[in-house]
Amino acid sequence: MTPAAPLPRERRVEVIRDALERAFAPTVLEIRDDSQRHAGHAGARDGRGHFDVVIASAAFAGMSTLARHRAVYAALGGLMDTDIHALSIHASEASPD
C-alpha cells in the first residue's frame, strides 16, 4: 500500500515493514524510527520521518550497494514523498543457511 497522503506517525514503521517484506521476503528486517532525534530539523518541518533500515535478502544477490538502495526506494514508492524524509539503509544479501 502506498498512501496518497501522509500516514499517522504510529503506522509508518508497520507500512514500511509490510512494503519491504512483500518486495524482498527478507531474512533480517529491522526498522527504527529516528524522527524524534531530528525534531526541529529543517527536513522534519513537513512532518515526514527519519528511519534506519537493516535488511538482508536473497533478492539482493549480485546487486551492488547502489542497486540495493534503489530497490529499497522503489519498494517504498510514494512513502518517500509522503512519509519519509531521510532513510538510512543497510542492505545485504541473506546469509546462506
Side-chain angles (χ1 to χ4, degrees):
M1 175 183 98
T2 301
L7 294 164
R9 290 176 196 252
E10 63 274 5
R11 291 215 47 234
R12 288 179 176 165
V13 169
E14 169 193 348
V15 173
I16 291 168
R17 179 176 307 282
D18 289 347
L20 296 176
E21 285 177 345
R22 278 194 317 274
F24 303 110
T27 56
V28 173
L29 180 57
E30 299 170 16
I31 303 166
R32 186 178 64 234
D33 183 347
D34 286 334
S35 301
Q36 71 284 352
R37 294 179 50 208
H38 299 276
H41 176 269
R45 288 189 190 132
D46 65 3
R48 293 181 299 153
H50 291 69
F51 299 90
D52 184 80
V53 171
V54 176
I55 184 170
S57 173
F60 295 135
M63 288 184 170
S64 67
T65 300
L66 180 59
R68 291 172 186 177
H69 286 218
R70 286 179 174 162
V72 169
Y73 288 129
L76 295 174
L79 289 168
M80 294 302 302
D81 297 323
T82 59
D83 291 277
I84 301 171
H85 169 72
L87 183 64
S88 174
I89 302 170
H90 310 274
S92 61
E93 182 178 345
S95 300
D97 294 338

